[in-house]
């Protein structure tokens, strides 16, 4: 298996490898892993037609090499023959989709999500679906009906969530890049825990058509990869307006994503570090140290860093959970035992069918959230909670947008801690929710942010990866990816400085 997309493409073009070989290597690692004592459990399933699809790609590649049109082929379809990891909440026609929930047992997606269509048009091959927290609710991929996904760096630790399966698959070299989804950090958080790059794009840049909704005003597909360029290429083929999603939007400057260059103009770069995050109580000392290293790197490149005071950020977790859970309660009402997946019919009429299906189909965390969401939306309380949550969100959006009039980047850790041990926070929802302390403001403000693998915790804490976020203003994906590329060129390999 090759490490990056560009290396793999070169190997495919020259015949050094084939798409079948790539797929076989993923299948082998998947099968071997299942037998291991502590299986990763990243993929839930490798799709049954991957080898067939890879074979067809190989035939076209061989023909193009023979008639001299290989460069043209890759210009038109930059991901030709490359398998990628999918998340279990993104539809692939004819394939199972369960959101790692019992309630969707047996459900088969009738159509492709737009992001899948666009990747397939670019030549990529959906390799399989990956584990996640049930309905993307969680921060550790422990809330899955299929059991947790372990962290490939140390299998006693969580992979992060909710896109822990895709993230672990990429980190363990079972896939070159992966799709995840974000509502409040579900791509950046596992990226940070597993030591890979993870991008949450601007709201709307990737279509949500065919992606199972959690909190629709926050949801966004995200990308996991080994390098910023490995994120930029899939982003460039997937982004842009979609007839089926009215909230979708074009990404200006998407052409600069194709051959991603490292950012150079550091002298004019102004970076904001929110005081609220630096002073937050739960910030782990090892994470703080890595964060200081990243700040020092930016300063050494000539950038200017200033601490900014944004008191509203202290309310971001509260606002996020009010809004996300309200939208979740509403979105998940469609799982009624009639329309999708599993049905529990004890012959006592529709009302009981609905109650039985949902009682047996949803896991405890999803139930907790549906109950809180409905409580928040009830007539009696919506004024004091839901509306307040919404006004806090409006302020976050306004104040973050205003900040970007003076600054190019918000810099902060991705999570207050590195990956924790399996089971450590499983029964403590508040502790789990606080993992999202630094990520949710990004979704509330609808801006893009990338988690960059920036270093490790100390030996005493298991030497686990630590991610730092580069967040930019809306539609500044190209810029934050170029900045991440500059970081990558100086630090390839999880924040380990490159010897020059
Ligand atoms: N951990 C957050 C939650 O549980 C975010 C999840 C997500 O981004 N899908 O809501």
């Amino acid at each position: 298996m090759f490490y990056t997309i560009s290396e793999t493409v070169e190997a495919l073009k020259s015949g050094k490898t084939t798409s079948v070989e790539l797929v076989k290597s993923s299948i082998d690692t998947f099968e071997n892993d299942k037998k291991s004592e502590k299986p990763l459990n990243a993929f839930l399933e490798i799709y049954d037609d991957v080898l067939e699809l890879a074979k067809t790609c190989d035939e076209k590649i061989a023909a193009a090499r023979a008639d001299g049109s290989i460069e043209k082929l890759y210009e038109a379809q930059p991901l030709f023959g490359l398998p990628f990891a999918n998340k279990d909440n993104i539809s692939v026609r004819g394939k199972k989709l369960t959101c790692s929930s019992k309630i969707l047992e047996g459900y088969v997606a009738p159509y492709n999500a737009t992001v899948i269509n666009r990747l397939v048009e670019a030549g990529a091959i959906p390799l399989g679906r990956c584990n996640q927290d049930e309905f993307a609710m969680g921060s550790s991929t422990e809330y899955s009906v299929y059991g947790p996904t372990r962290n490939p760096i140390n299998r006693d630790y969580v992979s992060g969530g909710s896109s822990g399966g895709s993230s672990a698959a990429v980190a363990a070299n079972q896939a070159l890049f992966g799709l995840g989804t974000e509502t409040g950090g579900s791509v950046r958080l596992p990226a940070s825990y597993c030591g890979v790059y993870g991008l949450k794009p601007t709201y709307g840049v990737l279509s949500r058509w065919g992606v199972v909704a959690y909190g629709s005003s926050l949801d966004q597909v995200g990308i996991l990869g080994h390098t910023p360029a490995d994120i930029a290429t899939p982003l460039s083929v997937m982004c842009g307006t979609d007839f089926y999603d009215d909230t979708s939007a074009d990404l200006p400057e998407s052409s600069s994503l194709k051959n991603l260059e490292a950012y150079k103009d550091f002298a004019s770069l102004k970076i904001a570090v929110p005081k609220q995050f630096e002073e937050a109580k739960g910030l782990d000392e090892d994470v703080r140290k890595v964060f200081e290293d990243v700040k020092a790197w930016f300063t050494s490149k000539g950038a200017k860093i200033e601490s900014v005071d944004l008191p509203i950020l202290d309310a971001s977790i509260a606002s996020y959970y009010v809004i996300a859970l309200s939208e979740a309660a509403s979105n998940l009402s469609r799982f009624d035992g009639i329309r999708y997946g599993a049905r529990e019919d004890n012959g006592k009429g529709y009302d009981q069918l609905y109650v039985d299906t949902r009682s047996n189909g949803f896991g405890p965390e999803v139930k907790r959230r549906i109950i809180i969401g409905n409580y928040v939306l009830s007539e009696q309380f919506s004024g004091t909670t839901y509306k307040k949550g919404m006004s806090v969100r409006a302020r976050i959006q306004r104040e973050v947008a205003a900040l970007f009039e003076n600054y190019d980047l918000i810099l902060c850790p991705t999570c207050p801690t590195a990956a924790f041990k399996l089971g450590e926070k499983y029964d403590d929802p508040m502790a789990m929710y606080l993992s999202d302390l630094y990520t949710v403001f990004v979704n509330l403000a609808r801006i893009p942010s990338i988690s960059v693998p920036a270093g490790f915790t100390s030996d005493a804490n298991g030497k686990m990866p630590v991610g730092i976020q580069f967040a930019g203003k809306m539609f500044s994906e190209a810029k934050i990816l170029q900045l991440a590329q500059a970081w990558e060129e100086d630090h390839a390999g999880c924040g380990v400085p490159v010897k020059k």
Side-chain angles (χ1 to χ4, degrees), residues 87 136-139 161-162 181-186 214 320-321 369 436:
K87 183 172 174 179
M137 297 173 182
S139 309
S162 65
T181 59
E182 272 254 1
T183 307
S186 273
Y214 162 12
Y320 167 79
Y321 274 95
R369 292 184 184 214
D436 308 324

Side-chain angles (χ1 to χ4, degrees), residues 52-63:
E52 205 61 40
L53 292 170
K55 232 170 96 192
T56 316
C57 286
D58 284 339
E59 282 160 19
K60 285 198 185 145
I61 293 170

